[in-house]
Amino acid sequence: MKALLIVDVQNDFCPGGSLEVPEGDRIVPVINRLIEKFDHIIQTQDWHPEGHLSFASSHQGKSPYDTAEMDYGTQVLWPDHCVQGSSGADFHPDLNTTKTQVIIRKGFRKSIDSYSTFFENDQKTSTGLTGYLRERGITELYTVGLATDFCVKWSALDGMEQGFNMHIVEDAVQGIDLNGSLEQAWKELGDAGVGVVSAAEL
Ligand code: VGL
Ligand code: ZN
């Protein structure tokens, strides 16, 4: 059984937001059309407390896009974004969320970031998505949303490791592209065997 996984289509990742993905809102109409083709729809929502340790503002002398050493390894530092309850954390107003059955919030622990929808960045703390998918008999996950080179990539890689058949809808994702991260992401996805399809094929 297949499901659509809509990653982080939130105001802060769209033009005008604090961690704007170039043309991040371009994918919204594509995703709205795809929603009609799926019976099972899962969304994720980046959901950070104020003062989250992935924010550059939480580290003295650091600027956005610098890195910091966390307990779990090197972490890119971001502008403050998707703060719990803020309008930046809301889904894009044109995204049709009516059919969404579950929303996985991530990044709510102050000292761990979470790109993947399956595991937080320590690669150990589970979001519970694997259990949810297995109990519902979902085996094929079509991934769309933001950003290709961070949350979409990590979700697809972890999903493969958890035994799901992961696919990316290439015209329904959009990347940040920090120092070549977008090209690197497509390479890692290809190496891991993640499928790539276009929206028209679905
Ligand atoms: C994301 C950076 C920080 C994403 C979330 O959704 O790709 N990127 N938080
Ligand atoms: Zn975040």
Side-chain angles (χ1 to χ4, degrees), residues 8 13 19 46-48 52 54-55 78 81-82 106-107 113-115 151:
D8 295 0
F13 297 124
L19 177 34
D46 212 38
W47 193 249
H48 301 306
H52 193 256
S54 75
F55 297 169
W78 303 104
H81 64 280
C82 299
K106 56 187 185 55
D113 204 6
S114 186
Y115 295 150
C151 292

Side-chain angles (χ1 to χ4, degrees), residues 59-122:
H59 303 261
Q60 197 112 47
K62 296 276 190 184
S63 305
Y65 313 108
D66 288 347
T67 55
E69 292 312 312
M70 310 287 242
D71 294 343
Y72 52 80
T74 305
Q75 163 78 45
V76 178
L77 299 177
W78 303 104
D80 291 23
H81 64 280
C82 299
V83 172
Q84 296 173 358
S86 70
S87 56
D90 285 345
F91 297 120
H92 187 285
D94 296 337
L95 181 71
N96 182 355
T97 61
T98 313
K99 272 178 81 177
T100 299
Q101 294 151 346
V102 69
I103 297 171
I104 305 271
R105 286 179 166 165
K106 56 187 185 55
F108 52 77
R109 289 182 181 83
K110 199 162 185 169
S111 55
I112 318 182
D113 204 6
S114 186
Y115 295 150
S116 159
T117 317
F118 291 91
F119 292 100
E120 303 199 8
N121 288 11
D122 61 359

Side-chain angles (χ1 to χ4, degrees), residues 37 123 148 151 165 179:
K37 310 233 160 84
Q123 289 284 298
T148 316
C151 292
N165 293 320
N179 309 319

